[in-house]
Amino acid sequence: MLHPIAFNTPGNNDLQSLWERARALLQNQLGDATYRSWIAPLNLHSGTAHQITLTAPTRFVREWVASHYSDDLRRAWQTQLPQVQLIEVIVGSTVASASAAKKPVAPVAMATPVPSAREYTSPAAATAVVQELSESMGAPLDPRYTFDNFVVGKPNELAHAAARRVAESDTTIAGCNPLFMYGGVGLGKTHLMHAIAWHIRKHNPNRKVLYLSAEKFMYQFIRALRFKEALEFKELFRSVDVLMIDDVQFISGKESTQEEFFHTFNALIDQNKQLIISGDRSPSDLDGFEERVRSRLGWGLVADIHSTTYELRLGILQAKLEQMRPSVQVPTKVLEFLAHKISSNVRVLEGALNRILAHAALVGTTISVENTQHVLHDLLIAHDRRVTIEEIQKQVAMHYNIKLADMHSARRSRVVARPRQVAMYLAKQMTTKSLPEIGRKFGGKDHTTVMHAVKRIEELMQVDSELADDIALLTRTLQG
Ligand code: ADP
Ligand code: MG
């Protein structure tokens, strides 16, 4: 028979110290960023000889950990307790009492929203006002931007899961408040925000949702000041249940708008209202923002959207075609050609597809790779003006603070070898050069060395979000 190891017994102290060691291993293995987001929030709940139970602060964290890190967790525990077979993660707080050790823990109750000191008007009126405000602010929701129309792939998996989670919940989710989504232009931030708003409007019409760009926020704020409506402005914003501010980088350097944003932000968080913010870079990289604002933006869940992969681009093209059901056939070869050639952002990709469809409809031809090349001539030239390997090497060396010469050297020290691999990876992604050609530019290395580097970086990016961030940033900088 298995005996639960209860808390506050000597046995459990041992268990706790084993957990500490397993955690340290995971930190090493997964990198700091992943560790901080997903492993650090877990607590030891209880254990038997074969099973360990951990608690996660929210259902979202639980689900994400269970689907992404359960093998890592099990292996880390097995280094400490070889007989452990199963790691269970439940939602709940750690209950540090012996008697409660094996009882399932009740899900953490959400703090009930504290009503604001001064309600704007009756709740129904406020909903109407917010609705009107959203509309009058000229930020209508695009009907195409729904979850159904969003293609999920590795690069946007986390942001999508978080957006869905927030949209489907009736209440604010503590671990996701604020939800900060960031990524380069045209990667789906606005699409996801609209999708959240549509979902809530449909399934939870009593929740007041306000979506607007940071630019509109500033404009409204300035207008309110001019017309001495600052108080109304404040109260309106504070009466919403879900506030979404798109492209927050817009208010970089705009001090008084930031000040107002910061107060609105704090007031809403204090009242347990849901905030969703998007930006073109992570909170810590936002220039022109006060430190306190940056740090607050990173309080909840920060989800990055990476550059698209070939597979995701192909998936998006296929999904778009399915939606549009054009009368002409678009051969798979053409879709592959587009997904291969147009890697910058999804908006451009969609534009390209629309253009070849429009052209085919107009001149009544079939669609082939040849006429696609012809129709998209200007676009393809712009894309072919790709970065050179030299530019990549220079940028990467600068980013990691190593000498440019180290890109060509044979030094194997990690400090230079990893950046070199990053540069090789980027050269493969961003140029049309072959593996042997790339190898030659890196001091005459073999093509297998380049292949290995590309694979290694791809693997690491899955587990090391800091590296993934570095690469996203470098890609953007290089694309200009
Ligand atoms: P961002 O706000 O990040 O600049 P958008 O949300 O405006 O990007 O997306 C640009 C275009 O690409 C939109 O038309 C959007 O529908 C489309 N798009 C981006 N990502 C996806 C995706 N994963 N699935 C389907 N469409 C996408
Ligand atoms: Mg946008």
Side-chain angles (χ1 to χ4, degrees):
M1 153 145 192
L2 304 175
H3 295 284
I5 307 172
F7 277 88
N8 294 346
T9 63
N12 194 63
N13 285 337
D14 294 348
L15 207 56
Q16 184 62 37
S17 56
L18 296 182
W19 172 223
E20 309 283 314
R21 265 182 271 155
R23 281 222 267 216
L25 277 177
L26 286 164
Q27 181 165 19
N28 233 325
Q29 203 179 320
L30 303 173
D32 276 340
T34 304
Y35 175 82
R36 247 180 292 129
S37 306
W38 307 113
I39 308 297
L42 304 178
N43 280 308
L44 178 62
H45 176 261
S46 59
T48 64
H50 299 278
Q51 175 175 338
I52 299 294
T53 303
L54 303 171
T55 59
T58 62
R59 200 154 66 100
F60 181 74
V61 172
R62 193 203 81 83
E63 277 157 23
W64 192 265
V65 167
S67 61
H68 289 77
Y69 302 112
S70 58
D71 285 344
D72 297 308
L73 276 167
R74 185 170 42 76
R75 277 197 293 270
W77 268 102
Q78 282 171 343
T79 62
Q80 307 302 313
L81 273 179
Q83 66 273 41
V84 164
Q85 294 301 333
L86 189 69
I87 309 292
E88 181 190 36
V89 185
I90 59 175
V91 180
S93 52
T94 323
V95 180
S97 85
S99 64
K102 201 49 198 163
K103 266 195 268 163
V105 186
V108 195
M110 288 295 166
T112 35
V114 185
S116 59
R118 293 172 56 197
E119 283 284 288
Y120 182 64
T121 44
S122 72
T127 311
V129 172
V130 170
Q131 191 79 26
E132 199 187 292
L133 184 74
S134 314
E135 271 145 34
S136 74
M137 279 178 174
L141 300 176
D142 190 315
R144 292 166 308 164
Y145 292 179
T146 59
F147 282 122
D148 284 345
N149 289 343
F150 191 81
V151 182
V152 186
K154 268 262 172 260
N156 57 30
E157 188 187 17
L158 174 61
H160 171 262
R164 268 221 110 97
R165 182 82 183 86
V166 168
E168 285 166 4
S169 169
D170 295 339
T171 48
T172 299
I173 299 166
C176 298
N177 206 19
L179 167 59
F180 189 97
M181 299 191 282
Y182 75 93
V185 179
L187 297 182
K189 301 181 294 294
T190 299
H191 188 135
L192 281 176
M193 287 181 129
H194 285 205
I196 296 173
W198 282 124
H199 190 97
I200 297 176
R201 275 200 190 170
K202 182 157 170 215
H203 298 276
N204 227 333
N206 290 329
R207 290 193 96 194
K208 285 164 269 164
V209 184
L210 181 56
Y211 164 88
L212 74 167
S213 64
E215 183 180 5
K216 282 268 151 56
F217 179 88
M218 183 175 92
Y219 167 80
Q220 292 293 336
F221 171 58
I222 292 170
R223 196 181 149 275
L225 288 183
R226 169 141 25 98
F227 293 105
K228 309 210 169 2
E229 288 169 355
L231 205 63
E232 283 86 344
F233 174 87
K234 278 190 202 327
E235 291 189 337
L236 254 178
F237 274 93
R238 287 167 203 191
S239 72
V240 304
D241 296 311
V242 181
L243 177 64
M244 296 194 231
I245 306 271
D246 205 352
D247 289 323
V248 74
Q249 73 276 1
F250 183 86
I251 58 169
S252 119
K254 318 251 172 27
E255 281 160 33
S256 47
T257 304
Q258 252 180 57
E259 181 80 19
E260 184 58 32
F261 171 74
F262 184 66
H263 291 310
T264 307
F265 185 100
N266 285 339
L268 288 170
I269 294 260
D270 286 347
Q271 293 175 47
N272 202 26
K273 305 294 186 64
Q274 179 73 53
L275 268 141
I276 304 159
I277 316 237
S278 83
D280 68 348
R281 60 199 73 187
S282 77
S284 52
D285 287 337
L286 280 171
D287 303 326
F289 275 75
E290 273 182 70
E291 181 47 39
R292 57 177 187 160
V293 181
R294 271 193 298 207
S295 94
R296 268 236 139 168
L297 286 172
W299 261 22
L301 184 71
V302 176
D304 47 350
I305 308 184
H306 300 288
S307 309
T308 54
T309 55
Y310 170 77
E311 290 77 21
L312 180 61
R313 291 194 293 274
L314 195 58
I316 290 174
L317 287 171
Q318 279 158 346
K320 300 275 165 202
L321 268 187
E322 220 155 276
Q323 270 166 46
M324 294 192 286
R325 302 194 167 281
S327 48
V328 277
Q329 280 278 333
V330 184
T332 309
K333 277 254 167 300
V334 169
L335 296 184
E336 287 169 357
F337 175 78
L338 292 177
H340 179 70
K341 284 286 183 187
I342 301 173
S343 56
S344 57
N345 81 54
V346 182
R347 197 172 296 125
V348 177
L349 192 65
E350 284 177 348
L353 181 63
N354 288 335
R355 254 170 72 182
I356 59 169
L357 286 171
H359 181 266
L362 206 64
V363 298
T365 53
T366 56
I367 296 177
S368 67
V369 173
E370 285 71 45
N371 61 27
T372 297
Q373 260 168 329
H374 178 72
V375 172
L376 300 179
H377 182 69
D378 52 335
L379 197 70
L380 295 173
I381 287 186
H383 272 265
D384 274 343
R385 207 208 63 73
R386 282 169 185 252
V387 284
T388 62
I389 294 183
E390 287 75 13
E391 281 173 277
I392 293 174
Q393 291 174 327
K394 224 167 87 188
Q395 199 66 42
V396 173
M398 218 155 71
H399 182 87
Y400 288 104
N401 217 355
I402 62 169
K403 289 204 271 319
L404 184 57
D406 281 326
M407 287 290 162
H408 312 111
S409 78
R411 277 182 65 197
R412 281 163 187 263
S413 135
R414 179 90 167 259
V415 196
V416 298
R418 187 54 44 81
R420 201 191 296 132
Q421 287 180 324
V422 167
M424 288 181 186
Y425 168 84
L426 288 171
K428 182 77 195 94
Q429 297 295 317
M430 304 185 74
T431 72
T432 47
K433 298 278 180 283
S434 66
L435 295 175
E437 281 173 309
I438 296 173
R440 275 199 290 282
K441 298 266 189 182
F442 283 83
K445 304 222 167 27
D446 195 64
H447 78 276
T448 52
T449 308
V450 182
M451 200 159 72
H452 171 75
V454 173
K455 255 187 55 202
R456 184 80 193 117
I457 296 298
E458 276 170 354
E459 281 163 14
L460 283 173
M461 278 166 72
Q462 304 295 335
V463 291
D464 181 349
S465 61
E466 232 163 275
L467 179 72
D469 278 353
D470 281 349
I471 287 175
L473 191 71
L474 282 163
T475 308
R476 252 175 273 155
T477 316
L478 285 162
Q479 276 168 347

